[in-house]
PDB file of all heavy atoms in Angstrom:
ATOM      1  N   LEU A  93       1.634 -17.041 -11.009  1.00 96.00           N
ATOM      2  CA  LEU A  93       0.659 -16.924 -12.094  1.00 96.00           C
ATOM      3  C   LEU A  93       0.131 -15.504 -12.193  1.00 96.00           C
ATOM      4  O   LEU A  93      -0.063 -14.828 -11.176  1.00 96.00           O
ATOM      5  CB  LEU A  93      -0.526 -17.863 -11.846  1.00 96.00           C
ATOM      6  CG  LEU A  93      -0.417 -19.285 -12.390  1.00 96.00           C
ATOM      7  CD1 LEU A  93       0.705 -20.038 -11.713  1.00 96.00           C
ATOM      8  CD2 LEU A  93      -1.736 -20.021 -12.202  1.00 96.00           C
ATOM      9  N   THR A  94      -0.119 -15.053 -13.413  1.00 95.00           N
ATOM     10  CA  THR A  94      -0.756 -13.761 -13.614  1.00 95.00           C
ATOM     11  C   THR A  94      -1.626 -13.788 -14.860  1.00 95.00           C
ATOM     12  O   THR A  94      -1.265 -14.408 -15.864  1.00 95.00           O
ATOM     13  CB  THR A  94       0.276 -12.625 -13.724  1.00 95.00           C
ATOM     14  OG1 THR A  94      -0.414 -11.386 -13.987  1.00 95.00           O
ATOM     15  CG2 THR A  94       1.286 -12.869 -14.836  1.00 95.00           C
ATOM     16  N   ASN A  95      -2.772 -13.130 -14.779  1.00 94.00           N
ATOM     17  CA  ASN A  95      -3.635 -12.955 -15.949  1.00 94.00           C
ATOM     18  C   ASN A  95      -3.131 -11.849 -16.868  1.00 94.00           C
ATOM     19  O   ASN A  95      -3.636 -11.673 -17.971  1.00 94.00           O
ATOM     20  CB  ASN A  95      -5.067 -12.631 -15.505  1.00 94.00           C
ATOM     21  CG  ASN A  95      -5.964 -13.865 -15.474  1.00 94.00           C
ATOM     22  OD1 ASN A  95      -5.536 -14.968 -15.806  1.00 94.00           O
ATOM     23  ND2 ASN A  95      -7.204 -13.672 -15.066  1.00 94.00           N
ATOM     24  N   ASN A  96      -2.165 -11.092 -16.415  1.00 92.00           N
ATOM     25  CA  ASN A  96      -1.617 -10.001 -17.215  1.00 92.00           C
ATOM     26  C   ASN A  96      -0.881 -10.571 -18.430  1.00 92.00           C
ATOM     27  O   ASN A  96       0.051 -11.359 -18.281  1.00 92.00           O
ATOM     28  CB  ASN A  96      -0.653  -9.172 -16.358  1.00 92.00           C
ATOM     29  CG  ASN A  96      -0.216  -7.892 -17.042  1.00 92.00           C
ATOM     30  OD1 ASN A  96       0.044  -7.874 -18.235  1.00 92.00           O
ATOM     31  ND2 ASN A  96      -0.114  -6.831 -16.276  1.00 92.00           N
ATOM     32  N   SER A  97      -1.314 -10.171 -19.622  1.00 96.00           N
ATOM     33  CA  SER A  97      -0.688 -10.692 -20.847  1.00 96.00           C
ATOM     34  C   SER A  97       0.195  -9.651 -21.524  1.00 96.00           C
ATOM     35  O   SER A  97       0.693  -9.882 -22.626  1.00 96.00           O
ATOM     36  CB  SER A  97      -1.765 -11.160 -21.833  1.00 96.00           C
ATOM     37  OG  SER A  97      -2.567 -10.060 -22.261  1.00 96.00           O
ATOM     38  N   ILE A  98       0.397  -8.503 -20.861  1.00 95.00           N
ATOM     39  CA  ILE A  98       1.174  -7.427 -21.481  1.00 95.00           C
ATOM     40  C   ILE A  98       2.653  -7.779 -21.538  1.00 95.00           C
ATOM     41  O   ILE A  98       3.323  -7.548 -22.549  1.00 95.00           O
ATOM     42  CB  ILE A  98       0.976  -6.101 -20.709  1.00 95.00           C
ATOM     43  CG1 ILE A  98      -0.448  -5.583 -20.914  1.00 95.00           C
ATOM     44  CG2 ILE A  98       1.992  -5.055 -21.163  1.00 95.00           C
ATOM     45  CD1 ILE A  98      -0.743  -4.299 -20.151  1.00 95.00           C
ATOM     46  N   PHE A  99       3.175  -8.351 -20.445  1.00 96.00           N
ATOM     47  CA  PHE A  99       4.613  -8.524 -20.307  1.00 96.00           C
ATOM     48  C   PHE A  99       5.045  -9.973 -20.530  1.00 96.00           C
ATOM     49  O   PHE A  99       4.298 -10.910 -20.261  1.00 96.00           O
ATOM     50  CB  PHE A  99       5.065  -8.083 -18.911  1.00 96.00           C
ATOM     51  CG  PHE A  99       4.704  -6.660 -18.581  1.00 96.00           C
ATOM     52  CD1 PHE A  99       3.662  -6.379 -17.708  1.00 96.00           C
ATOM     53  CD2 PHE A  99       5.396  -5.608 -19.161  1.00 96.00           C
ATOM     54  CE1 PHE A  99       3.321  -5.072 -17.407  1.00 96.00           C
ATOM     55  CE2 PHE A  99       5.063  -4.296 -18.864  1.00 96.00           C
ATOM     56  CZ  PHE A  99       4.016  -4.029 -17.992  1.00 96.00           C
ATOM     57  N   THR A 100       6.271 -10.147 -21.002  1.00 97.00           N
ATOM     58  CA  THR A 100       6.864 -11.475 -21.073  1.00 97.00           C
ATOM     59  C   THR A 100       7.294 -11.902 -19.677  1.00 97.00           C
ATOM     60  O   THR A 100       7.389 -11.077 -18.752  1.00 97.00           O
ATOM     61  CB  THR A 100       8.097 -11.487 -21.993  1.00 97.00           C
ATOM     62  OG1 THR A 100       9.115 -10.666 -21.393  1.00 97.00           O
ATOM     63  CG2 THR A 100       7.769 -10.972 -23.384  1.00 97.00           C
ATOM     64  N   ALA A 101       7.590 -13.178 -19.519  1.00 97.00           N
ATOM     65  CA  ALA A 101       8.079 -13.668 -18.225  1.00 97.00           C
ATOM     66  C   ALA A 101       9.384 -12.977 -17.853  1.00 97.00           C
ATOM     67  O   ALA A 101       9.626 -12.665 -16.678  1.00 97.00           O
ATOM     68  CB  ALA A 101       8.260 -15.180 -18.279  1.00 97.00           C
ATOM     69  N   ARG A 102      10.219 -12.693 -18.840  1.00 97.00           N
ATOM     70  CA  ARG A 102      11.478 -11.991 -18.572  1.00 97.00           C
ATOM     71  C   ARG A 102      11.224 -10.581 -18.053  1.00 97.00           C
ATOM     72  O   ARG A 102      11.869 -10.116 -17.113  1.00 97.00           O
ATOM     73  CB  ARG A 102      12.331 -11.949 -19.834  1.00 97.00           C
ATOM     74  CG  ARG A 102      13.699 -11.310 -19.630  1.00 97.00           C
ATOM     75  CD  ARG A 102      14.540 -11.447 -20.892  1.00 97.00           C
ATOM     76  NE  ARG A 102      14.758 -12.852 -21.219  1.00 97.00           N
ATOM     77  CZ  ARG A 102      15.353 -13.277 -22.332  1.00 97.00           C
ATOM     78  NH1 ARG A 102      15.811 -12.393 -23.212  1.00 97.00           N
ATOM     79  NH2 ARG A 102      15.503 -14.564 -22.553  1.00 97.00           N
ATOM     80  N   ASP A 103      10.252  -9.896 -18.675  1.00 97.00           N
ATOM     81  CA  ASP A 103       9.883  -8.551 -18.207  1.00 97.00           C
ATOM     82  C   ASP A 103       9.391  -8.603 -16.760  1.00 97.00           C
ATOM     83  O   ASP A 103       9.768  -7.762 -15.939  1.00 97.00           O
ATOM     84  CB  ASP A 103       8.770  -7.963 -19.076  1.00 97.00           C
ATOM     85  CG  ASP A 103       9.193  -7.720 -20.512  1.00 97.00           C
ATOM     86  OD1 ASP A 103      10.399  -7.501 -20.743  1.00 97.00           O
ATOM     87  OD2 ASP A 103       8.319  -7.758 -21.400  1.00 97.00           O
ATOM     88  N   LEU A 104       8.540  -9.575 -16.475  1.00 97.00           N
ATOM     89  CA  LEU A 104       7.955  -9.663 -15.143  1.00 97.00           C
ATOM     90  C   LEU A 104       9.011 -10.002 -14.096  1.00 97.00           C
ATOM     91  O   LEU A 104       8.960  -9.502 -12.971  1.00 97.00           O
ATOM     92  CB  LEU A 104       6.827 -10.698 -15.130  1.00 97.00           C
ATOM     93  CG  LEU A 104       5.579 -10.292 -15.914  1.00 97.00           C
ATOM     94  CD1 LEU A 104       4.609 -11.460 -16.013  1.00 97.00           C
ATOM     95  CD2 LEU A 104       4.896  -9.086 -15.283  1.00 97.00           C
ATOM     96  N   ARG A 105       9.958 -10.854 -14.473  1.00 97.00           N
ATOM     97  CA  ARG A 105      11.054 -11.140 -13.540  1.00 97.00           C
ATOM     98  C   ARG A 105      11.796  -9.857 -13.190  1.00 97.00           C
ATOM     99  O   ARG A 105      12.107  -9.608 -12.019  1.00 97.00           O
ATOM    100  CB  ARG A 105      12.020 -12.155 -14.145  1.00 97.00           C
ATOM    101  CG  ARG A 105      13.338 -12.245 -13.362  1.00 97.00           C
ATOM    102  CD  ARG A 105      14.235 -13.382 -13.805  1.00 97.00           C
ATOM    103  NE  ARG A 105      15.590 -13.182 -13.301  1.00 97.00           N
ATOM    104  CZ  ARG A 105      15.971 -13.275 -12.029  1.00 97.00           C
ATOM    105  NH1 ARG A 105      15.067 -13.525 -11.096  1.00 97.00           N
ATOM    106  NH2 ARG A 105      17.222 -13.096 -11.662  1.00 97.00           N
ATOM    107  N   ALA A 106      12.068  -9.037 -14.195  1.00 97.00           N
ATOM    108  CA  ALA A 106      12.793  -7.782 -13.954  1.00 97.00           C
ATOM    109  C   ALA A 106      11.977  -6.839 -13.079  1.00 97.00           C
ATOM    110  O   ALA A 106      12.519  -6.167 -12.186  1.00 97.00           O
ATOM    111  CB  ALA A 106      13.136  -7.112 -15.282  1.00 97.00           C
ATOM    112  N   ARG A 107      10.663  -6.782 -13.308  1.00 95.00           N
ATOM    113  CA  ARG A 107       9.807  -5.903 -12.508  1.00 95.00           C
ATOM    114  C   ARG A 107       9.747  -6.375 -11.056  1.00 95.00           C
ATOM    115  O   ARG A 107       9.774  -5.562 -10.124  1.00 95.00           O
ATOM    116  CB  ARG A 107       8.406  -5.851 -13.125  1.00 95.00           C
ATOM    117  CG  ARG A 107       8.376  -5.115 -14.464  1.00 95.00           C
ATOM    118  CD  ARG A 107       7.079  -5.386 -15.205  1.00 95.00           C
ATOM    119  NE  ARG A 107       5.946  -4.735 -14.576  1.00 95.00           N
ATOM    120  CZ  ARG A 107       5.551  -3.495 -14.834  1.00 95.00           C
ATOM    121  NH1 ARG A 107       6.223  -2.748 -15.710  1.00 95.00           N
ATOM    122  NH2 ARG A 107       4.502  -2.979 -14.244  1.00 95.00           N
ATOM    123  N   LEU A 108       9.659  -7.686 -10.862  1.00 97.00           N
ATOM    124  CA  LEU A 108       9.642  -8.218  -9.500  1.00 97.00           C
ATOM    125  C   LEU A 108      10.976  -7.985  -8.808  1.00 97.00           C
ATOM    126  O   LEU A 108      11.021  -7.632  -7.623  1.00 97.00           O
ATOM    127  CB  LEU A 108       9.305  -9.712  -9.522  1.00 97.00           C
ATOM    128  CG  LEU A 108       7.859 -10.067  -9.837  1.00 97.00           C
ATOM    129  CD1 LEU A 108       7.724 -11.568 -10.080  1.00 97.00           C
ATOM    130  CD2 LEU A 108       6.919  -9.645  -8.707  1.00 97.00           C
ATOM    131  N   LEU A 109      12.056  -8.174  -9.553  1.00 97.00           N
ATOM    132  CA  LEU A 109      13.387  -7.993  -8.978  1.00 97.00           C
ATOM    133  C   LEU A 109      13.590  -6.543  -8.533  1.00 97.00           C
ATOM    134  O   LEU A 109      14.212  -6.281  -7.497  1.00 97.00           O
ATOM    135  CB  LEU A 109      14.455  -8.395  -9.994  1.00 97.00           C
ATOM    136  CG  LEU A 109      15.864  -8.680  -9.470  1.00 97.00           C
ATOM    137  CD1 LEU A 109      15.848  -9.771  -8.400  1.00 97.00           C
ATOM    138  CD2 LEU A 109      16.781  -9.083 -10.617  1.00 97.00           C
ATOM    139  N   ALA A 110      13.036  -5.611  -9.291  1.00 96.00           N
ATOM    140  CA  ALA A 110      13.130  -4.194  -8.910  1.00 96.00           C
ATOM    141  C   ALA A 110      12.393  -3.921  -7.610  1.00 96.00           C
ATOM    142  O   ALA A 110      12.695  -2.952  -6.907  1.00 96.00           O
ATOM    143  CB  ALA A 110      12.573  -3.320 -10.031  1.00 96.00           C
ATOM    144  N   SER A 111      11.421  -4.783  -7.292  1.00 96.00           N
ATOM    145  CA  SER A 111      10.686  -4.657  -6.030  1.00 96.00           C
ATOM    146  C   SER A 111      11.340  -5.439  -4.897  1.00 96.00           C
ATOM    147  O   SER A 111      10.826  -5.469  -3.787  1.00 96.00           O
ATOM    148  CB  SER A 111       9.244  -5.151  -6.209  1.00 96.00           C
ATOM    149  OG  SER A 111       8.578  -4.430  -7.211  1.00 96.00           O
ATOM    150  N   GLY A 112      12.460  -6.118  -5.215  1.00 96.00           N
ATOM    151  CA  GLY A 112      13.157  -6.896  -4.202  1.00 96.00           C
ATOM    152  C   GLY A 112      12.729  -8.343  -4.117  1.00 96.00           C
ATOM    153  O   GLY A 112      13.079  -9.042  -3.157  1.00 96.00           O
ATOM    154  N   ILE A 113      11.972  -8.816  -5.115  1.00 97.00           N
ATOM    155  CA  ILE A 113      11.484 -10.195  -5.119  1.00 97.00           C
ATOM    156  C   ILE A 113      12.167 -10.943  -6.252  1.00 97.00           C
ATOM    157  O   ILE A 113      12.012 -10.591  -7.425  1.00 97.00           O
ATOM    158  CB  ILE A 113       9.955 -10.240  -5.301  1.00 97.00           C
ATOM    159  CG1 ILE A 113       9.265  -9.401  -4.209  1.00 97.00           C
ATOM    160  CG2 ILE A 113       9.447 -11.669  -5.270  1.00 97.00           C
ATOM    161  CD1 ILE A 113       7.784  -9.210  -4.447  1.00 97.00           C
ATOM    162  N   ASP A 114      12.912 -11.982  -5.920  1.00 96.00           N
ATOM    163  CA  ASP A 114      13.721 -12.706  -6.908  1.00 96.00           C
ATOM    164  C   ASP A 114      13.011 -13.978  -7.338  1.00 96.00           C
ATOM    165  O   ASP A 114      13.057 -14.999  -6.645  1.00 96.00           O
ATOM    166  CB  ASP A 114      15.088 -13.024  -6.306  1.00 96.00           C
ATOM    167  CG  ASP A 114      16.050 -13.589  -7.348  1.00 96.00           C
ATOM    168  OD1 ASP A 114      15.652 -13.701  -8.530  1.00 96.00           O
ATOM    169  OD2 ASP A 114      17.189 -13.920  -6.976  1.00 96.00           O
ATOM    170  N   VAL A 115      12.327 -13.925  -8.484  1.00 97.00           N
ATOM    171  CA  VAL A 115      11.613 -15.078  -9.026  1.00 97.00           C
ATOM    172  C   VAL A 115      12.265 -15.468 -10.351  1.00 97.00           C
ATOM    173  O   VAL A 115      12.343 -14.644 -11.261  1.00 97.00           O
ATOM    174  CB  VAL A 115      10.119 -14.770  -9.261  1.00 97.00           C
ATOM    175  CG1 VAL A 115       9.406 -15.981  -9.869  1.00 97.00           C
ATOM    176  CG2 VAL A 115       9.445 -14.353  -7.967  1.00 97.00           C
ATOM    177  N   PRO A 116      12.732 -16.699 -10.495  1.00 96.00           N
ATOM    178  CA  PRO A 116      13.317 -17.120 -11.777  1.00 96.00           C
ATOM    179  C   PRO A 116      12.314 -16.984 -12.918  1.00 96.00           C
ATOM    180  O   PRO A 116      11.102 -17.156 -12.719  1.00 96.00           O
ATOM    181  CB  PRO A 116      13.689 -18.589 -11.527  1.00 96.00           C
ATOM    182  CG  PRO A 116      13.805 -18.706 -10.043  1.00 96.00           C
ATOM    183  CD  PRO A 116      12.805 -17.755  -9.472  1.00 96.00           C
ATOM    184  N   GLU A 117      12.819 -16.695 -14.098  1.00 96.00           N
ATOM    185  CA  GLU A 117      11.944 -16.497 -15.256  1.00 96.00           C
ATOM    186  C   GLU A 117      11.076 -17.710 -15.534  1.00 96.00           C
ATOM    187  O   GLU A 117       9.896 -17.573 -15.885  1.00 96.00           O
ATOM    188  CB  GLU A 117      12.810 -16.174 -16.477  1.00 96.00           C
ATOM    189  CG  GLU A 117      12.038 -15.860 -17.737  1.00 96.00           C
ATOM    190  CD  GLU A 117      12.944 -15.544 -18.915  1.00 96.00           C
ATOM    191  OE1 GLU A 117      14.082 -15.068 -18.684  1.00 96.00           O
ATOM    192  OE2 GLU A 117      12.531 -15.778 -20.060  1.00 96.00           O
ATOM    193  N   ASP A 118      11.645 -18.913 -15.369  1.00 96.00           N
ATOM    194  CA  ASP A 118      10.871 -20.117 -15.676  1.00 96.00           C
ATOM    195  C   ASP A 118       9.862 -20.464 -14.586  1.00 96.00           C
ATOM    196  O   ASP A 118       9.152 -21.470 -14.689  1.00 96.00           O
ATOM    197  CB  ASP A 118      11.783 -21.305 -15.969  1.00 96.00           C
ATOM    198  CG  ASP A 118      12.675 -21.669 -14.796  1.00 96.00           C
ATOM    199  OD1 ASP A 118      12.598 -21.002 -13.738  1.00 96.00           O
ATOM    200  OD2 ASP A 118      13.457 -22.635 -14.922  1.00 96.00           O
ATOM    201  N   CYS A 119       9.779 -19.627 -13.548  1.00 97.00           N
ATOM    202  CA  CYS A 119       8.780 -19.824 -12.494  1.00 97.00           C
ATOM    203  C   CYS A 119       7.628 -18.828 -12.624  1.00 97.00           C
ATOM    204  O   CYS A 119       6.865 -18.630 -11.676  1.00 97.00           O
ATOM    205  CB  CYS A 119       9.417 -19.691 -11.112  1.00 97.00           C
ATOM    206  SG  CYS A 119      10.533 -21.048 -10.693  1.00 97.00           S
ATOM    207  N   ILE A 120       7.511 -18.192 -13.794  1.00 98.00           N
ATOM    208  CA  ILE A 120       6.436 -17.239 -14.046  1.00 98.00           C
ATOM    209  C   ILE A 120       5.572 -17.767 -15.191  1.00 98.00           C
ATOM    210  O   ILE A 120       6.088 -18.125 -16.249  1.00 98.00           O
ATOM    211  CB  ILE A 120       7.004 -15.847 -14.391  1.00 98.00           C
ATOM    212  CG1 ILE A 120       7.810 -15.293 -13.208  1.00 98.00           C
ATOM    213  CG2 ILE A 120       5.874 -14.892 -14.767  1.00 98.00           C
ATOM    214  CD1 ILE A 120       8.562 -14.009 -13.507  1.00 98.00           C
TER     215      ILE A 120
END
């Protein structure tokens, strides 16, 4: 969960993946 409304779930998945954290888009 995030209060951040700037990014889509797809964007956030990509940002997390760049940090080495693999979270499916539908889990955001």
Side-chain angles (χ1 to χ4, degrees):
L93 271 64
T94 177
N95 263 359
N96 189 320
S97 64
I98 291 178
F99 303 105
T100 66
R102 183 174 299 174
D103 295 333
L104 291 172
R105 167 171 164 70
R107 291 165 71 88
L108 287 170
L109 198 57
S111 302
I113 304 171
D114 189 1
V115 178
E117 184 180 333
D118 61 0
C119 290
I120 298 172

